[in-house]
Coordinates of all heavy atoms in Angstrom, one line a residue:
M1 N 36.2 -54.0 131.2 CA 35.5 -52.8 131.5 C 36.4 -51.7 132.1 O 37.3 -52.1 132.9 CB 34.3 -53.0 132.4 CG 33.4 -51.8 132.7 SD 31.9 -52.2 133.7 CE 30.9 -53.1 132.5
Q2 N 36.2 -50.5 131.7 CA 37.0 -49.4 132.3 C 36.2 -48.6 133.3 O 35.0 -48.7 133.4 CB 37.5 -48.5 131.2 CG 38.4 -49.2 130.2 CD 39.1 -48.3 129.3 OE1 38.9 -47.1 129.2 NE2 40.1 -48.8 128.5
C3 N 37.0 -47.8 134.1 CA 36.4 -47.0 135.2 C 35.2 -46.1 134.7 O 34.1 -46.1 135.3 CB 37.4 -46.2 135.9 SG 38.7 -47.2 136.8
A4 N 35.5 -45.4 133.6 CA 34.5 -44.5 133.1 C 33.2 -45.2 132.7 O 32.1 -44.8 132.9 CB 35.0 -43.7 131.9
E5 N 33.4 -46.4 132.1 CA 32.3 -47.2 131.7 C 31.5 -47.7 133.0 O 30.3 -47.6 133.0 CB 32.8 -48.5 131.0 CG 32.4 -48.6 129.6 CD 32.9 -49.9 129.0 OE1 34.1 -50.2 129.1 OE2 32.1 -50.7 128.5
L6 N 32.2 -48.1 133.9 CA 31.6 -48.6 135.2 C 30.8 -47.5 135.8 O 29.6 -47.8 136.2 CB 32.7 -49.1 136.1 CG 32.4 -49.9 137.4 CD1 31.9 -49.0 138.5 CD2 31.4 -51.0 137.1
V7 N 31.3 -46.3 135.8 CA 30.6 -45.2 136.5 C 29.3 -44.9 135.7 O 28.2 -44.7 136.2 CB 31.5 -44.0 136.6 CG1 30.6 -42.8 137.0 CG2 32.6 -44.2 137.6
S8 N 29.4 -45.0 134.3 CA 28.2 -44.7 133.6 C 27.1 -45.8 133.7 O 25.9 -45.5 133.5 CB 28.6 -44.6 132.1 OG 28.9 -45.8 131.5
Y9 N 27.5 -47.0 134.1 CA 26.5 -48.0 134.4 C 26.1 -48.1 135.8 O 25.2 -49.0 136.2 CB 27.1 -49.4 134.0 CG 27.3 -49.6 132.5 CD1 28.5 -50.2 132.1 CD2 26.4 -49.3 131.6 CE1 28.7 -50.5 130.7 CE2 26.6 -49.5 130.2 CZ 27.8 -50.1 129.8 OH 28.0 -50.3 128.5
L10 N 26.7 -47.3 136.7 CA 26.6 -47.5 138.1 C 25.1 -47.5 138.6 O 24.7 -48.4 139.4 CB 27.4 -46.4 138.8 CG 27.9 -46.8 140.2 CD1 28.8 -48.1 140.1 CD2 28.8 -45.7 140.7
S11 N 24.3 -46.5 138.2 CA 23.0 -46.5 138.7 C 22.2 -47.7 138.3 O 21.4 -48.2 139.0 CB 22.3 -45.2 138.3 OG 22.2 -45.0 136.9
D12 N 22.4 -48.1 137.0 CA 21.7 -49.3 136.6 C 22.2 -50.6 137.3 O 21.4 -51.5 137.6 CB 21.9 -49.5 135.0 CG 21.1 -48.5 134.3 OD1 20.0 -48.1 134.8 OD2 21.5 -48.1 133.1
Y13 N 23.4 -50.6 137.6 CA 24.0 -51.7 138.3 C 23.4 -51.8 139.7 O 22.9 -52.9 140.1 CB 25.5 -51.5 138.4 CG 26.2 -52.6 139.3 CD1 26.4 -53.9 138.8 CD2 26.6 -52.3 140.6 CE1 26.9 -54.9 139.6 CE2 27.2 -53.3 141.4 CZ 27.4 -54.6 140.9 OH 27.9 -55.5 141.7
I14 N 23.3 -50.7 140.4 CA 22.7 -50.7 141.7 C 21.2 -51.1 141.7 O 20.7 -51.8 142.5 CB 22.8 -49.2 142.3 CG1 24.3 -49.0 142.6 CG2 22.0 -49.1 143.6 CD1 24.6 -47.6 143.0
D15 N 20.5 -50.7 140.6 CA 19.1 -51.1 140.5 C 18.9 -52.4 139.8 O 17.8 -52.8 139.5 CB 18.4 -50.0 139.6 CG 18.1 -48.7 140.5 OD1 18.1 -48.8 141.7 OD2 18.0 -47.6 139.9
N16 N 20.0 -53.1 139.5 CA 19.9 -54.4 138.8 C 19.2 -54.3 137.5 O 18.4 -55.2 137.1 CB 19.1 -55.4 139.7 CG 20.0 -55.9 140.9 OD1 21.2 -56.2 140.7 ND2 19.4 -56.0 142.0
N17 N 19.5 -53.3 136.7 CA 18.9 -53.1 135.4 C 19.8 -53.5 134.3 O 19.5 -53.4 133.1 CB 18.5 -51.6 135.2 CG 17.3 -51.2 136.0 OD1 16.4 -52.1 136.3 ND2 17.1 -50.0 136.3
L18 N 21.0 -54.0 134.6 CA 22.0 -54.3 133.6 C 21.7 -55.8 133.1 O 21.2 -56.6 133.9 CB 23.4 -54.2 134.1 CG 23.9 -52.9 134.5 CD1 25.4 -53.0 135.0 CD2 23.9 -52.0 133.3
S19 N 22.2 -56.0 131.9 CA 22.1 -57.4 131.4 C 23.1 -58.3 132.3 O 23.9 -57.7 132.9 CB 22.5 -57.4 129.9 OG 23.9 -57.1 129.9
E20 N 22.9 -59.6 132.2 CA 23.7 -60.5 133.0 C 25.2 -60.3 132.6 O 26.0 -60.3 133.5 CB 23.4 -61.9 132.7 CG 22.2 -62.4 133.5 CD 21.9 -63.9 133.1 OE1 22.8 -64.7 132.9 OE2 20.7 -64.2 133.1
E21 N 25.4 -60.1 131.3 CA 26.8 -59.9 130.9 C 27.5 -58.7 131.5 O 28.6 -58.7 132.0 CB 26.9 -59.9 129.4 CG 28.2 -60.1 128.8 CD 28.3 -59.9 127.3 OE1 27.2 -59.9 126.7 OE2 29.4 -59.6 126.8
L22 N 26.7 -57.5 131.4 CA 27.3 -56.3 132.0 C 27.4 -56.4 133.5 O 28.3 -55.8 134.0 CB 26.3 -55.1 131.6 CG 26.6 -54.6 130.2 CD1 25.5 -53.5 129.8 CD2 28.0 -54.0 130.0
T23 N 26.4 -57.0 134.1 CA 26.5 -57.2 135.6 C 27.8 -57.9 135.9 O 28.5 -57.5 136.9 CB 25.3 -57.9 136.1 OG1 24.1 -57.2 135.8 CG2 25.3 -58.1 137.6
R24 N 28.1 -59.0 135.2 CA 29.3 -59.8 135.5 C 30.5 -58.9 135.2 O 31.5 -59.0 136.0 CB 29.3 -61.0 134.6 CG 30.2 -62.1 135.1 CD 30.1 -63.4 134.3 NE 30.4 -63.1 132.9 CZ 29.5 -63.4 131.9 NH1 28.4 -63.8 132.2 NH2 29.8 -63.1 130.7
E25 N 30.5 -58.2 134.2 CA 31.7 -57.3 133.9 C 31.9 -56.3 135.0 O 33.0 -56.0 135.4 CB 31.5 -56.7 132.5 CG 31.8 -57.6 131.4 CD 31.8 -56.8 130.0 OE1 32.2 -55.6 130.0 OE2 31.4 -57.4 129.0
A26 N 30.8 -55.7 135.4 CA 30.8 -54.7 136.5 C 31.4 -55.3 137.7 O 32.2 -54.7 138.4 CB 29.5 -54.1 136.7
Q27 N 30.9 -56.5 138.1 CA 31.3 -57.2 139.3 C 32.8 -57.5 139.2 O 33.5 -57.4 140.2 CB 30.5 -58.5 139.5 CG 29.1 -58.2 140.1 CD 28.2 -59.4 140.1 OE1 28.5 -60.3 139.4 NE2 27.2 -59.3 140.9
E28 N 33.2 -58.0 138.0 CA 34.7 -58.3 137.9 C 35.5 -57.0 138.0 O 36.6 -57.1 138.7 CB 34.9 -58.9 136.5 CG 34.6 -60.4 136.4 CD 34.6 -60.9 135.0 OE1 35.1 -60.2 134.1 OE2 34.1 -62.0 134.8
H29 N 35.0 -55.9 137.5 CA 35.8 -54.7 137.6 C 35.8 -54.2 139.1 O 36.9 -53.9 139.6 CB 35.2 -53.6 136.7 CG 36.0 -52.3 136.8 ND1 37.0 -52.1 135.9 CD2 35.9 -51.3 137.6 CE1 37.5 -50.9 136.3 NE2 36.9 -50.4 137.3
L30 N 34.7 -54.3 139.7 CA 34.6 -53.8 141.1 C 35.5 -54.7 142.0 O 36.0 -54.2 143.0 CB 33.1 -53.9 141.6 CG 32.3 -52.7 141.0 CD1 30.8 -53.0 141.2 CD2 32.6 -51.4 141.8
A31 N 35.6 -56.0 141.7 CA 36.4 -56.9 142.5 C 37.9 -56.5 142.5 O 38.7 -56.8 143.4 CB 36.2 -58.3 142.1
T32 N 38.3 -55.8 141.4 CA 39.7 -55.5 141.2 C 40.1 -54.1 141.3 O 41.2 -53.7 141.4 CB 40.3 -56.0 139.8 OG1 39.5 -55.4 138.8 CG2 40.2 -57.5 139.7
C33 N 39.0 -53.2 141.3 CA 39.3 -51.8 141.3 C 38.8 -51.1 142.6 O 37.6 -50.9 142.7 CB 38.7 -51.1 140.1 SG 39.0 -49.4 140.0
Q34 N 39.7 -50.8 143.5 CA 39.3 -50.1 144.7 C 38.6 -48.8 144.5 O 37.7 -48.4 145.2 CB 40.6 -50.0 145.6 CG 40.4 -49.3 146.9 CD 39.6 -50.2 147.9 OE1 39.5 -51.4 147.6 NE2 39.2 -49.7 149.0
N35 N 39.1 -48.0 143.5 CA 38.5 -46.7 143.3 C 37.0 -46.8 142.9 O 36.2 -46.1 143.5 CB 39.3 -46.1 142.1 CG 40.7 -45.8 142.4 OD1 41.1 -45.4 143.5 ND2 41.6 -46.0 141.5
C36 N 36.7 -47.7 142.1 CA 35.3 -47.8 141.7 C 34.5 -48.4 142.9 O 33.3 -48.1 143.0 CB 35.1 -48.7 140.5 SG 35.7 -47.9 139.0
H37 N 35.1 -49.2 143.7 CA 34.4 -49.7 144.9 C 34.0 -48.5 145.8 O 32.9 -48.5 146.3 CB 35.4 -50.6 145.6 CG 34.6 -51.8 146.2 ND1 34.4 -53.0 145.5 CD2 34.0 -51.9 147.4 CE1 33.7 -53.8 146.3 NE2 33.5 -53.2 147.5
I38 N 34.9 -47.6 145.9 CA 34.6 -46.4 146.8 C 33.5 -45.6 146.1 O 32.5 -45.2 146.8 CB 35.9 -45.5 146.9 CG1 36.9 -46.3 147.7 CG2 35.6 -44.2 147.5 CD1 38.3 -45.6 147.7
V39 N 33.5 -45.4 144.8 CA 32.5 -44.7 144.1 C 31.1 -45.4 144.3 O 30.1 -44.8 144.5 CB 32.9 -44.4 142.7 CG1 31.7 -43.7 141.9 CG2 34.1 -43.6 142.6
L40 N 31.2 -46.7 144.1 CA 29.9 -47.5 144.2 C 29.3 -47.3 145.6 O 28.2 -47.1 145.8 CB 30.2 -48.9 144.0 CG 29.0 -49.9 144.2 CD1 27.9 -49.7 143.2 CD2 29.5 -51.3 144.2
D41 N 30.2 -47.4 146.6 CA 29.8 -47.3 148.0 C 29.1 -45.9 148.3 O 28.0 -45.9 148.8 CB 31.0 -47.3 148.9 CG 31.1 -48.7 149.6 OD1 30.5 -49.6 149.1 OD2 31.8 -48.8 150.6
S42 N 29.7 -44.9 147.8 CA 29.1 -43.5 148.1 C 27.9 -43.3 147.3 O 26.9 -42.7 147.8 CB 30.2 -42.4 147.9 OG 30.5 -42.4 146.5
T43 N 27.8 -43.9 146.1 CA 26.6 -43.8 145.3 C 25.5 -44.5 145.9 O 24.3 -44.0 146.0 CB 26.9 -44.3 143.9 OG1 28.0 -43.6 143.3 CG2 25.7 -44.0 143.0
Q44 N 25.7 -45.7 146.4 CA 24.7 -46.5 147.0 C 24.1 -45.8 148.2 O 22.9 -45.8 148.5 CB 25.2 -47.9 147.4 CG 25.0 -48.9 146.4 CD 25.6 -50.3 146.7 OE1 26.6 -50.3 147.4 NE2 25.0 -51.3 146.3
R45 N 25.1 -45.2 149.0 CA 24.6 -44.4 150.2 C 23.7 -43.3 149.8 O 22.7 -43.0 150.4 CB 25.8 -43.9 151.0 CG 26.2 -44.9 152.1 CD 27.1 -44.2 153.1 NE 28.4 -43.8 152.5 CZ 29.4 -44.6 152.5 NH1 29.4 -45.8 152.9 NH2 30.6 -44.2 151.9
T46 N 24.1 -42.6 148.7 CA 23.4 -41.4 148.3 C 22.0 -41.8 147.8 O 20.9 -41.2 148.2 CB 24.1 -40.7 147.1 OG1 25.4 -40.4 147.5 CG2 23.3 -39.5 146.6
I47 N 21.9 -42.9 147.1 CA 20.6 -43.4 146.5 C 19.7 -43.8 147.7 O 18.5 -43.6 147.7 CB 20.8 -44.5 145.5 CG1 21.4 -43.9 144.2 CG2 19.5 -45.3 145.2 CD1 21.7 -44.9 143.1
L48 N 20.3 -44.5 148.7 CA 19.6 -45.0 149.8 C 19.0 -43.8 150.6 O 17.8 -43.8 151.0 CB 20.5 -45.8 150.8 CG 19.9 -47.0 151.5 CD1 19.6 -48.1 150.5 CD2 20.9 -47.5 152.5
L49 N 19.8 -42.8 150.7 CA 19.3 -41.5 151.4 C 18.1 -40.9 150.7 O 17.1 -40.5 151.3 CB 20.5 -40.6 151.4 CG 20.7 -39.7 152.7 CD1 21.0 -40.6 153.9 CD2 21.7 -38.7 152.5
Y50 N 18.2 -40.8 149.4 CA 17.1 -40.3 148.6 C 15.8 -41.1 148.8 O 14.8 -40.6 148.9 CB 17.4 -40.3 147.1 CG 18.2 -39.1 146.6 CD1 19.5 -39.3 146.1 CD2 17.7 -37.9 146.6 CE1 20.2 -38.2 145.6 CE2 18.4 -36.8 146.2 CZ 19.7 -37.0 145.7 OH 20.4 -35.9 145.2
R51 N 16.0 -42.4 148.8 CA 14.9 -43.3 149.0 C 14.2 -43.2 150.3 O 13.0 -43.2 150.5 CB 15.3 -44.8 148.7 CG 15.5 -45.0 147.3 CD 15.7 -46.5 146.9 NE 15.9 -46.5 145.5 CZ 16.5 -47.5 144.8 NH1 17.0 -48.5 145.5 NH2 16.6 -47.5 143.5
Q52 N 15.1 -43.0 151.4 CA 14.5 -42.8 152.7 C 13.7 -41.5 152.8 O 12.8 -41.4 153.6 CB 15.7 -42.8 153.7 CG 16.2 -44.2 154.0 CD 17.5 -44.1 154.8 OE1 18.1 -43.1 155.0 NE2 18.0 -45.3 155.1
R53 N 14.1 -40.6 152.0 CA 13.4 -39.3 152.0 C 12.2 -39.4 151.0 O 11.5 -38.4 150.9 CB 14.3 -38.1 151.5 CG 15.4 -37.8 152.5 CD 16.2 -36.7 151.8 NE 17.4 -36.4 152.6 CZ 18.5 -35.9 152.0 NH1 18.5 -35.6 150.7 NH2 19.6 -35.6 152.7
G54 N 12.0 -40.5 150.4 CA 10.9 -40.6 149.5 C 11.0 -39.9 148.2 O 10.1 -39.6 147.4
Q55 N 12.3 -39.6 147.8 CA 12.5 -38.9 146.6 C 12.9 -39.9 145.4 O 13.2 -41.0 145.7 CB 13.7 -37.9 146.7 CG 13.4 -36.8 147.6 CD 14.6 -35.9 147.9 OE1 15.6 -36.1 147.3 NE2 14.4 -34.9 148.8
R56 N 12.8 -39.4 144.2 CA 13.2 -40.2 143.1 C 14.6 -40.7 143.3 O 15.5 -39.9 143.6 CB 13.1 -39.3 141.8 CG 12.9 -40.2 140.6 CD 12.8 -39.3 139.4 NE 13.3 -39.9 138.2 CZ 14.6 -39.7 137.8 NH1 15.4 -38.9 138.5 NH2 15.1 -40.3 136.7
A57 N 14.9 -41.9 143.0 CA 16.2 -42.5 143.3 C 17.2 -42.5 142.2 O 18.3 -42.8 142.4 CB 16.0 -44.0 143.8
G58 N 16.7 -42.2 141.0 CA 17.7 -42.2 139.9 C 18.7 -41.2 139.9 O 18.6 -40.2 140.7
L59 N 19.7 -41.3 139.1 CA 20.8 -40.3 139.1 C 20.5 -39.3 138.0 O 20.4 -39.7 136.9 CB 22.1 -41.0 138.9 CG 22.7 -41.9 140.0 CD1 24.0 -42.5 139.6 CD2 22.8 -41.1 141.3
S60 N 20.5 -38.1 138.4 CA 20.3 -37.0 137.4 C 21.6 -36.9 136.6 O 22.7 -37.3 137.0 CB 20.0 -35.7 138.0 OG 21.1 -35.3 138.8
P61 N 21.5 -36.3 135.4 CA 22.8 -36.0 134.6 C 23.8 -35.2 135.5 O 25.0 -35.4 135.4 CB 22.3 -35.2 133.4 CG 20.9 -35.6 133.3 CD 20.4 -35.9 134.7
R62 N 23.3 -34.3 136.3 CA 24.2 -33.5 137.1 C 24.9 -34.4 138.1 O 26.1 -34.2 138.4 CB 23.3 -32.4 137.8 CG 24.2 -31.5 138.7 CD 23.3 -30.6 139.5 NE 22.6 -29.6 138.7 CZ 23.1 -28.4 138.4 NH1 24.2 -28.0 139.0 NH2 22.5 -27.5 137.7
R63 N 24.1 -35.3 138.7 CA 24.7 -36.2 139.7 C 25.7 -37.1 139.0 O 26.8 -37.4 139.6 CB 23.6 -37.0 140.3 CG 24.1 -38.1 141.3 CD 24.7 -37.5 142.6 NE 25.3 -38.5 143.4 CZ 26.3 -38.3 144.2 NH1 26.8 -37.1 144.3 NH2 26.8 -39.3 144.9
H64 N 25.4 -37.5 137.8 CA 26.4 -38.3 137.0 C 27.7 -37.6 136.8 O 28.8 -38.1 137.0 CB 25.8 -38.7 135.7 CG 25.4 -40.1 135.6 ND1 24.2 -40.6 135.0 CD2 26.1 -41.3 136.0 CE1 24.2 -41.9 135.1 NE2 25.3 -42.3 135.7
E65 N 27.5 -36.3 136.5 CA 28.7 -35.5 136.2 C 29.5 -35.4 137.5 O 30.8 -35.5 137.4 CB 28.2 -34.1 135.8 CG 29.3 -33.3 135.1 CD 28.8 -31.9 134.7 OE1 27.7 -31.9 134.1 OE2 29.4 -31.0 135.0
S66 N 28.9 -35.2 138.6 CA 29.7 -35.0 139.9 C 30.3 -36.4 140.3 O 31.4 -36.4 140.9 CB 28.8 -34.5 141.0 OG 28.0 -35.5 141.6
L67 N 29.7 -37.5 139.9 CA 30.3 -38.8 140.1 C 31.6 -39.0 139.3 O 32.6 -39.5 139.8 CB 29.3 -39.9 139.7 CG 28.4 -40.4 140.8 CD1 27.5 -41.5 140.2 CD2 29.2 -41.0 142.0
F68 N 31.5 -38.5 138.1 CA 32.7 -38.6 137.2 C 33.8 -37.8 137.8 O 34.9 -38.2 137.8 CB 32.4 -38.1 135.8 CG 31.8 -39.2 134.9 CD1 30.5 -39.2 134.4 CD2 32.6 -40.3 134.6 CE1 30.0 -40.2 133.6 CE2 32.1 -41.3 133.8 CZ 30.8 -41.3 133.3
N69 N 33.4 -36.6 138.3 CA 34.4 -35.7 138.9 C 35.0 -36.3 140.1 O 36.2 -36.3 140.3 CB 33.8 -34.3 139.2 CG 33.4 -33.5 138.0 OD1 34.0 -33.8 136.9 ND2 32.5 -32.6 138.1
Q70 N 34.2 -36.9 140.9 CA 34.6 -37.6 142.1 C 35.6 -38.7 141.8 O 36.6 -38.9 142.4 CB 33.4 -38.1 142.9 CG 33.8 -38.8 144.2 CD 32.6 -39.5 144.9 OE1 31.5 -39.3 144.4 NE2 32.9 -40.3 145.8
L71 N 35.2 -39.5 140.8 CA 36.1 -40.6 140.3 C 37.4 -40.1 139.8 O 38.5 -40.6 140.2 CB 35.4 -41.4 139.2 CG 36.2 -42.6 138.7 CD1 36.4 -43.6 139.8 CD2 35.5 -43.2 137.5
A72 N 37.4 -39.0 139.0 CA 38.6 -38.4 138.5 C 39.5 -38.0 139.6 O 40.7 -38.2 139.6 CB 38.3 -37.3 137.6
E73 N 38.9 -37.3 140.6 CA 39.7 -36.9 141.8 C 40.3 -38.1 142.6 O 41.4 -38.0 143.0 CB 38.8 -36.1 142.8 CG 38.6 -34.6 142.3 CD 37.6 -33.9 143.2 OE1 37.6 -34.2 144.4 OE2 36.9 -33.0 142.7
T74 N 39.5 -39.1 142.8 CA 39.9 -40.3 143.5 C 41.1 -40.9 142.7 O 42.1 -41.3 143.3 CB 38.8 -41.3 143.6 OG1 37.7 -40.7 144.2 CG2 39.2 -42.5 144.5
L75 N 41.0 -41.0 141.4 CA 42.0 -41.6 140.6 C 43.3 -40.7 140.6 O 44.4 -41.3 140.7 CB 41.6 -41.7 139.1 CG 40.5 -42.8 138.9 CD1 40.0 -42.7 137.5 CD2 41.0 -44.2 139.3
A76 N 43.1 -39.4 140.6 CA 44.3 -38.5 140.6 C 45.0 -38.6 141.9 O 46.2 -38.3 142.0 CB 43.8 -37.1 140.3
S77 N 44.3 -38.8 143.0 CA 44.9 -38.8 144.3 C 45.5 -40.1 144.8 O 46.0 -40.3 145.9 CB 43.9 -38.3 145.4 OG 42.9 -39.2 145.5
R78 N 45.4 -41.1 143.9 CA 45.9 -42.5 144.3 C 46.9 -42.9 143.2 O 46.8 -42.6 142.1 CB 44.7 -43.5 144.3 CG 43.9 -43.3 145.5 CD 42.6 -44.1 145.3 NE 41.9 -44.2 146.6 CZ 42.0 -45.2 147.5 NH1 42.8 -46.2 147.2 NH2 41.4 -45.2 148.6
P79 N 47.8 -43.8 143.6 CA 48.6 -44.4 142.6 C 47.8 -45.2 141.6 O 46.7 -45.7 142.0 CB 49.6 -45.3 143.4 CG 49.0 -45.4 144.8 CD 48.0 -44.3 145.0
A80 N 48.3 -45.3 140.4 CA 47.5 -46.1 139.4 C 47.3 -47.5 139.8 O 48.2 -48.2 140.3 CB 48.3 -46.0 138.1
E81 N 46.1 -48.0 139.6 CA 45.8 -49.4 139.9 C 46.1 -50.2 138.6 O 45.5 -50.0 137.6 CB 44.3 -49.5 140.2 CG 43.9 -48.8 141.4 CD 43.8 -49.7 142.6 OE1 43.8 -50.9 142.5 OE2 43.7 -49.2 143.7
P82 N 47.0 -51.2 138.8 CA 47.4 -51.9 137.6 C 46.2 -52.7 137.0 O 46.2 -53.0 135.8 CB 48.4 -52.9 138.1 CG 48.3 -52.9 139.6 CD 47.7 -51.6 140.0
N83 N 45.2 -53.1 137.8 CA 44.1 -53.9 137.3 C 42.9 -53.0 136.8 O 41.9 -53.6 136.4 CB 43.6 -54.8 138.4 CG 44.6 -55.9 138.8 OD1 45.4 -56.3 137.9 ND2 44.6 -56.2 140.0
C84 N 43.1 -51.7 136.8 CA 42.0 -50.9 136.6 C 41.8 -50.5 135.2 O 41.8 -49.4 134.8 CB 42.1 -49.6 137.5 SG 40.6 -48.7 137.6
E85 N 41.7 -51.5 134.3 CA 41.4 -51.2 132.9 C 40.6 -52.3 132.3 O 40.8 -53.5 132.6 CB 42.6 -50.9 132.1 CG 42.8 -49.4 132.0 CD 44.0 -49.1 131.1 OE1 44.9 -49.9 131.0 OE2 44.0 -48.0 130.7
Ligands
ZN16 ZN1 37.6 -48.8 138.1

């Protein structure tokens, strides 16, 4: 699994909506990719915050877009991760 793929599955991963196979692939990727770990962390915090406010917890397309941007920035500001593909 690649970073962009992981990010696109992220909200489903957090909600446990992925198939067993995809969940395993996501976990394997997260275990080796620090960048996606950071993105997962901040996404989980955001979703938690929404839920505490009683708002809809899903990620809007706009939120997805900003996640991709955040990931791109994170990747650009760090040395390449050899395991991150
Ligand atoms: Zn990654």
Side-chain angles (χ1 to χ4, degrees):
M1 184 175 286
Q2 300 194 345
C3 294
E5 241 183 307
L6 193 279
V7 171
S8 72
Y9 290 138
L10 208 53
S11 61
D12 285 332
Y13 175 76
I14 291 168
D15 284 335
N16 287 317
N17 285 336
L18 292 179
S19 68
E20 276 179 41
E21 196 187 340
L22 279 175
T23 301
R24 199 176 56 241
E25 281 186 36
Q27 283 170 342
E28 279 172 13
H29 183 89
L30 285 162
T32 56
C33 182
Q34 180 70 11
N35 296 322
C36 286
H37 217 89
I38 293 167
V39 174
L40 174 69
D41 257 20
S42 65
T43 305
Q44 267 177 327
R45 267 199 293 275
T46 305
I47 287 179
L48 217 69
L49 217 67
Y50 275 118
R51 285 188 179 156
Q52 282 167 357
R53 292 177 188 156
Q55 293 174 7
R56 200 177 148 269
L59 292 180
S60 65
R62 184 188 289 267
R63 176 67 189 152
H64 251 134
E65 200 182 308
S66 80
L67 270 178
F68 274 115
N69 290 340
Q70 183 190 346
L71 179 64
E73 277 174 34
T74 307
L75 291 174
S77 64
R78 285 166 169 269
E81 297 261 348
N83 293 328
C84 194
E85 260 184 339

